[in-house]
Amino acid sequence: MPDTFDMNLVQRGARLRRSPYFDATRRHGCRAYTVYNHMFLPSAYDDPVKEYWHLLEHVAVWDVSVERQVEISGRDGFALTQFLTPRDLSKCKLGQGKYVVIVDQDGGIVNDPVLVRLGKNRFWLALADSDVLLFAKGVAAFADLDVEIREPDVSPMQIQGSKAKQVMKALFGPKVLDLGYYFFMETKLDGIPVVVTRTGWTGELGYEIYLCDGSKGDELWEKVMDAGRPYNIRPTGPSDIRRIEAGILNYGADMTLENNPFEVGLGWLVDLDKKADYVGKKALRRIKKEGAKRKLVGVEIHGPRIGYWLPEYWPVHHGGKQVGKLTALTYSPRLEKNIGYAMVPARLSKLGTRISVITPGGERQATVVRRPFVDPSKETPKS
Amino acid sequence: MPDTFDMNLVQRGARLRRSPYFDATRRHGCRAYTVYNHMFLPSAYDDPVKEYWHLLEHVAVWDVSVERQVEISGRDGFALTQFLTPRDLSKCKLGQGKYVVIVDQDGGIVNDPVLVRLGKNRFWLALADSDVLLFAKGVAAFADLDVEIREPDVSPMQIQGSKAKQVMKALFGPKVLDLGYYFFMETKLDGIPVVVTRTGWTGELGYEIYLCDGSKGDELWEKVMDAGRPYNIRPTGPSDIRRIEAGILNYGADMTLENNPFEVGLGWLVDLDKKADYVGKKALRRIKKEGAKRKLVGVEIHGPRIGYWLPEYWPVHHGGKQVGKLTALTYSPRLEKNIGYAMVPARLSKLGTRISVITPGGERQATVVRRPFVDPSKETPKS
């Protein structure tokens, strides 16, 4: 460590955790990290537009160890997990994954993890940026259930893009091609224990490899790079451009504890008729009955390109006054449009509604449009 | 926003919250931010040694809005808060603050907040870096108590250093000087609602001002700067050097959910004879009876200066093999020594024990020494 003081290193204290792929991401030229679930998230190796096109035309790998897992197991593992989410898990098969929401007693969104069912009573939740481990432990404190709740040694990476199948086949053989969308398999790669899921955060064809032995991060990373070389694989950050095109939400920005699932278009994850009780059931029933008062809508912002990401919430105006806020913004290189999401009063959520966004460079007209912006029926990731 | 891509801005997305003082910290030259409780924490304006001496000889102000508050209120507010911490709150007066731990059912540390009692049934917890809001909401989900749990609009700043009393007197008049260590008062500063506490993260004389109206952050900041100008006040980051000298712990680095209070020297926050039940009581009784298997000790690392902060855990060796890890490291400019903390087996925790630390520059001999390194009876902050 140098004696002189490097400002760029200030954020890198021992408090912030490093992923098993951390050394590999440094070696492969990662140039920016953000912090997510108390851990470094490699966010950029290159210009985001170059990374976007690479994802679409070739294949990208990125470190999402920050999707920390919560493992719920024990005799009452199913009962507790059912209690933690409004989605009815009696319909979740072994070997299947589900996108779920977790809410508090008021129906406020705590997290939107991908859940996988590893056994009758054994589940993993791959988390967005909030401490669901603590929420689940809190719920269990009074629940009088026979459960174990812990963070297992599991660290996902994503392999996404049009050549993802070729890379996965090179790594795992043809059997991996049988995996259906949102299904998974437990396997080994040259002795390294992994779980392979057909999921992702892109709207592209893609997989995640959940590494189950943190000491093997570097080894797994290089095996993926080797297998991907013929397909021009490269490490990138998660593509904000592509996930916004796909209408995917970013917890903490597009939704927080202040929002309920109906506001942000996640009502389909709420089974109000689910027989089992769950946290927030009463509140969600009431909200559904009354109707959501505001909605997260897709917006197209008129005029020249603004930028590729949103540094902070910008105000949304209608009739000369603030009615909401922009939660996501990017510029789609293939649509050649500024696109994003805005939280607006329900009365302003109809397609075609005209609003305006107050950018640092001045007011811009905008139109409420359909979200997702491309491939609404998810034909690409399911292909 | 520029069209070109600025890597330094990558981490600054809308997902990461900004404090009410954010604009002020930028304006006053903050050069590095880290992320804490999903929020930007201004961590450095200058060289850490210069900031350290300024704190000792003059007075410093820093933005700790990241100490997000959890407010517990309602008819059963006292009962829930008692249930959330091993410390016996029946001994906590109105107007008094307490340093507390919160643990899970296994006795693992969830957080170490400063708690203030605002009313018979109304408490704030000023948090370290974990989502206690979710833990508390989880606990309440099954508790059948009449409580409200929320994050209020409250954002602390710290005024710390030898001239802190003069600055506080200039701001609030002589009444503020009557505040005892860990007591607080609710007041207004030119109409801005605040809570003033006699607490801090330095071991120096100091106060915190909890701003209770986020829209007034800039105004409060400039009032503090104005009042502090005659005393040479300057904004700094939290001083890792000074907090390590004082033996103060940093949650996430020196202790995590994997540690119990007895291991890290926080056994004095555990009232095993407390009449009321609380989360973790059974586990803590068992751990106390069996004795902690490892201990966090103060260490002095021999040889020339290593550096002012620890980028990641370094291994601690004894008898030629790894027995633990270093969790904190700095160089004390006044002791002229490398000091820090190490987690070691209990048998190696006796003062004077020789261990070694594997630094990136090679192995260094070290000695287990008393923690805190200066002012063990806290005469300075209580003065």
Side-chain angles (χ1 to χ4, degrees), chain A residues 105-151:
Chain A
Q105 282 199 296
D106 304 317
I109 302 171
V110 166
N111 207 288
D112 65 326
V114 170
L115 166 153
V116 297
R117 186 171 193 175
L118 296 148
K120 192 173 156 242
N121 283 301
R122 188 159 160 256
F123 296 85
W124 284 346
L125 305 169
L127 299 180
D129 185 26
S130 75
D131 295 334
V132 171
L133 182 64
L134 298 183
F135 185 70
K137 278 175 175 278
V139 168
F142 263 113
D144 198 26
L145 293 172
D146 178 6
V147 288
E148 194 192 351
I149 304 164
R150 65 183 194 113
E151 184 189 301

Side-chain angles (χ1 to χ4, degrees), chain B residues 18 66-67 72-73 90 134 143 170 178 227 234 310 324-325 354:
Chain B
R18 295 174 180 213
V66 297
E67 295 174 1
I72 299 172
S73 60
S90 64
L134 299 182
D178 297 337
R234 64 176 288 189
L310 187 68
K325 63 182 182 180
R354 296 294 285 265

Side-chain angles (χ1 to χ4, degrees), chain A residues 7-52:
Chain A
M7 284 292 176
N8 293 317
L9 293 174
V10 170
Q11 71 157 347
R12 291 183 191 150
R15 180 179 60 83
L16 298 173
R17 294 170 59 182
R18 296 173 179 214
S19 112
Y21 316 117
F22 186 79
D23 290 344
T25 64
R26 298 273 286 177
R27 198 168 59 239
H28 285 269
C30 182
R31 289 162 65 189
Y33 294 82
T34 183
V35 176
Y36 197 99
N37 278 329
H38 315 282
M39 203 164 179
F40 290 114
L41 168 62
S43 58
Y45 294 69
D46 200 348
D47 181 280
V49 180
K50 283 186 196 156
E51 293 194 345
Y52 164 86

Side-chain angles (χ1 to χ4, degrees), chain A residues 134-310:
Chain A
L134 298 183
F135 185 70
K137 278 175 175 278
V139 168
F142 263 113
D144 198 26
L145 293 172
D146 178 6
V147 288
E148 194 192 351
I149 304 164
R150 65 183 194 113
E151 184 189 301
D153 175 9
V154 173
S155 303
M157 64 162 72
Q158 301 206 351
I159 318 278
Q160 306 277 311
S162 52
K163 303 291 191 303
K165 276 195 178 170
Q166 285 92 317
V167 178
M168 294 303 281
K169 189 179 163 202
L171 283 165
F172 296 100
K175 66 181 172 181
V176 78
L177 304 181
D178 298 336
L179 270 187
Y181 189 54
Y182 265 78
F183 279 81
F184 70 89
M185 63 180 195
E186 296 180 72
T187 185
K188 287 197 174 184
L189 184 68
D190 301 336
I192 305 174
V194 297
V195 167
V196 176
T197 67
R198 190 145 168 217
T199 51
W201 205 67
T202 59
E204 290 298 305
L205 185 62
Y207 296 83
E208 290 180 83
I209 305 176
Y210 288 48
L211 170 65
C212 302
D213 176 353
S215 71
K216 301 284 169 61
D218 222 82
E219 198 183 332
L220 176 61
W221 184 277
E222 292 306 334
K223 280 184 193 299
V224 169
M225 292 302 292
D226 286 346
R229 204 152 284 128
Y231 308 101
N232 203 15
I233 199 168
R234 64 176 290 189
T236 69
S239 176
D240 221 30
I241 305 175
R242 186 62 188 89
R243 72 98 188 169
I244 293 172
E245 285 182 347
I248 296 171
L249 303 179
N250 186 12
Y251 184 75
D254 305 315
M255 55 185 164
T256 71
L257 200 56
E258 302 302 311
N259 300 114
N260 64 63
F262 301 110
E263 288 176 355
V264 298
L266 296 182
W268 63 283
L269 301 180
V270 176
D271 289 326
L272 288 178
D273 297 330
K274 175 170 157 177
K275 255 171 77 183
D277 195 18
Y278 56 83
V279 184
K281 194 178 194 176
K282 227 165 105 180
L284 291 175
R285 279 198 171 146
R286 180 183 48 72
I287 295 163
K288 172 79 177 178
K289 201 176 150 197
E290 293 172 358
K293 291 182 177 49
R294 50 187 183 178
K295 296 263 187 184
L296 190 74
V297 296
V299 292
E300 188 187 311
I301 304 174
H302 308 179
R305 179 172 57 194
I306 301 173
Y308 292 101
W309 59 284
L310 187 66

